[in-house]
Amino acid sequence: MTLTHLNARGEAHMVDVADKPESRREARARGRIRMQPATLALLAEGGLPKGDVLATARIAGIQAAKRTHELIPLCHALALSKVTLDFELDSTQGCVWVEAFCRLNGRTGVEMEALTAVSVACLTLYDMCKAVDKAMIIDGVQLEEKRGGRSGDFSRQAQQTQEAAADVQPAVRGENPLHGETPVVSVRFLAELRERLGTEQTELDPAQLAVADIAGVKRALMAADPRYALLEEGRVLAACNQIMATDATPVAPGDEVAFFPPVTGG
Amino acid sequence: MQIDIRVQQAAFDAVAMQQRLTARRRDIGALVSFTGLVRDINERPDVEALTLEHFPGMTEQALEAIARDAGARWPLTGVGVVHRVGRLPGDPIVLVMVTSAHRRAAFEACDFIMDRLKTRAPFWKKEHTASGDYWVSERQSDHDDAGRWERA
């Protein structure tokens, strides 16, 4: 593996692509901006002082993709044939997901364009909302997939599935780990609760949940094994994807639910 | 506001944290810090050591959220939190350090952060004593202390 932007003397240089064949290139990147629930609600209602936030961020992302070569020193200027920006308001995780897709028929990949579009769209969201929330965090900016070109295709999801398959946790007390097409709900237990259950981790098929929330996860566990009656004894706290949850917090396939006793640090 | 959150097994150095929070700044008028140590008597006598468990990822996020809440309530210039995890002998286990232009904000924010940490940050303490090991229970007094900030 070599770094293509360095020449034999280790100096930065732009790769000469004149002799590379043209091919269909596509890239999809994603990122998010986390914010207070109140900010997200204002954004959803269109109540922010600077006006239509998502429309502005979409135009900013498209413009940024087209101007990537002006920002990133060794990027080629590309005539993109398609740039799209999608936004998803996620009240469970308190964030706006930003996804960019770029395409062209050409000689270089478009992943830098997709990543730049996501980054600038997130920055624009920050700018549009900062009057009401300065603590917003932009994170998780990453390439999801790319197609075409000599280096071949890349898909983060496929890579993660492979890694997960290579790292299968042993089944806990005969419960089958379900590594298939449908993502499972993984459940972990911490501290004294883990010791009393004798279990660190288990998995639920989302089909086992009569109601897809934390209370539903508890009921499904208790139906599978009476030991889990401990989840109803005394005060047991829960988190979904590492955010504090209540019985009514929704749980989706692929989520990680954790149960633990009241905290005693400090 | 500068936020410096660390969850680590190793012992910490309060002077190093002070240097990180004050380096190249002339706008800080007050620095307040709290250090929590292991007592030899807690729920049972003869505590020999304790084990601190945390929830990697969630714990750091929770500490950062607590620091941001403090920053939203008082005009702070910096918050540093170090919490040790793993099996620890009777050493300092937690450090909270707050800087501000003025002392009142720094005193109150430091108190607030410790109250929130004890009731909201995912840490669990197991004490190893001469008469056996046990998990420490939550204390109503900690919830009462944390409740003061809700009424205020």
Side-chain angles (χ1 to χ4, degrees), chain B residues 58-75:
Chain B
M58 182 171 177
T59 302
E60 290 84 350
Q61 280 178 43
L63 292 175
E64 189 172 330
I66 293 168
R68 287 188 188 286
D69 280 353
R73 286 171 181 239
W74 291 276

Side-chain angles (χ1 to χ4, degrees), chain A:
Chain A
M1 192 71 71
T2 54
L3 297 172
T4 55
H5 287 312
L6 298 180
N7 66 13
R9 292 189 300 280
E11 299 156 345
H13 88 134
M14 196 158 166
V15 177
D16 184 352
V17 296
D19 295 331
K20 287 170 87 174
E22 283 209 356
S23 67
R24 167 68 65 94
R25 307 299 195 97
E26 293 175 346
R28 198 162 56 80
R30 204 166 148 85
R32 66 173 179 177
I33 177 164
R34 292 191 271 149
M35 57 185 69
Q36 297 291 330
T39 316
L40 193 60
L42 271 177
L43 199 161
E45 293 161 12
L48 283 157
K50 288 195 180 180
D52 191 339
V53 173
L54 297 184
T56 311
R58 175 173 288 116
I59 297 299
I62 292 170
Q63 290 289 83
K66 293 195 290 185
R67 304 181 75 159
T68 301
H69 70 282
E70 294 175 16
L71 298 169
I72 311 294
L74 302 177
C75 268
H76 296 84
L78 303 178
L80 293 166
S81 62
K82 180 181 171 82
V83 182
T84 59
L85 265 289
D86 286 302
F87 300 94
E88 182 193 330
L89 307 190
D90 183 342
S91 57
T92 322
Q93 297 199 41
C95 69
V96 178
W97 292 98
V98 179
E99 189 172 297
F101 175 82
C102 295
R103 175 188 288 159
L104 90 163
N105 291 326
R107 299 190 174 93
T108 78
V110 288
E111 55 267 39
M112 289 311 302
E113 282 67 18
L115 287 163
T116 303
V118 168
S119 303
V120 171
C122 284
L123 286 170
T124 305
L125 289 175
Y126 188 98
D127 181 52
M128 300 289 285
C129 304
K130 69 180 189 295
V132 296
D133 187 355
K134 292 189 174 50
M136 291 177 289
I137 298 171
I138 294 170
D139 67 2
V141 176
Q142 58 189 32
L143 181 68
E144 293 296 334
E145 61 183 328
K146 69 160 288 228
R147 281 182 226 282
R150 199 181 54 184
S151 69
D153 295 350
F154 165 85
S155 161
R156 182 172 300 279
Q157 204 178 2
Q159 197 179 40
Q160 281 169 350
T161 313
Q162 273 174 14
E163 281 166 12
D167 183 28
V168 174
Q169 300 277 345
V172 176
R173 303 238 322 199
E175 289 163 46
N176 293 324
L178 300 145
H179 290 286
E181 289 297 301
T182 327
V184 297
V185 174
S186 64
V187 186
R188 56 191 287 185
F189 307 97
L190 294 154
E192 188 176 12
L193 190 61
R194 175 191 62 239
E195 289 190 357
R196 292 182 64 194
L197 288 168
T199 299
E200 183 164 358
Q201 187 165 351
T202 186
E203 288 177 342
L204 284 175
D205 181 344
Q208 288 172 265
L209 303 180
V211 185
D213 61 13
I214 295 286
V217 169
K218 286 187 197 172
R219 278 197 293 276
L221 288 169
M222 286 187 281
D225 190 326
R227 279 180 307 147
Y228 291 116
L230 277 178
L231 293 173
E232 301 273 82
E233 259 179 43
R235 219 157 80 82
V236 172
L237 307 182
C240 185
N241 299 326
Q242 304 208 327
I243 295 166
M244 278 292 194
T246 64
D247 273 352
T249 302
V251 175
D255 282 353
E256 181 199 66
V257 173
F259 291 106
F260 42 81
V263 303
T264 54

Side-chain angles (χ1 to χ4, degrees), chain B residues 50-148:
Chain B
L50 48 77
T51 299
L52 254 303
E53 178 173 334
H54 76 303
F55 186 178
M58 182 171 177
T59 302
E60 290 84 350
Q61 280 178 43
L63 292 175
E64 189 172 330
I66 293 168
R68 287 188 188 286
D69 280 353
R73 286 171 181 239
W74 291 276
L76 308 179
T77 50
V79 172
V81 178
V82 188
H83 204 302
R84 296 182 67 193
V85 292
R87 189 181 168 109
L88 307 170
D91 291 337
I93 56 167
V94 61
L95 171 72
V96 173
M97 191 172 282
V98 178
T99 59
S100 174
H102 301 290
R103 73 180 183 285
R104 182 68 54 213
F107 273 122
E108 291 182 357
C110 189
D111 195 12
F112 167 86
I113 291 168
M114 265 317 292
D115 283 341
R116 281 280 171 99
L117 185 153
K118 286 189 86 80
T119 50
R120 297 196 185 186
F123 290 103
W124 299 275
K125 203 180 282 165
K126 187 185 212 178
E127 292 186 342
H128 307 285
T129 73
S131 57
D133 301 344
Y134 64 93
W135 288 94
V136 173
S137 330
E138 65 176 329
R139 288 216 189 113
Q140 188 53 45
S141 61
D142 288 334
H143 286 281
D144 294 344
D145 286 344
R148 294 179 301 150

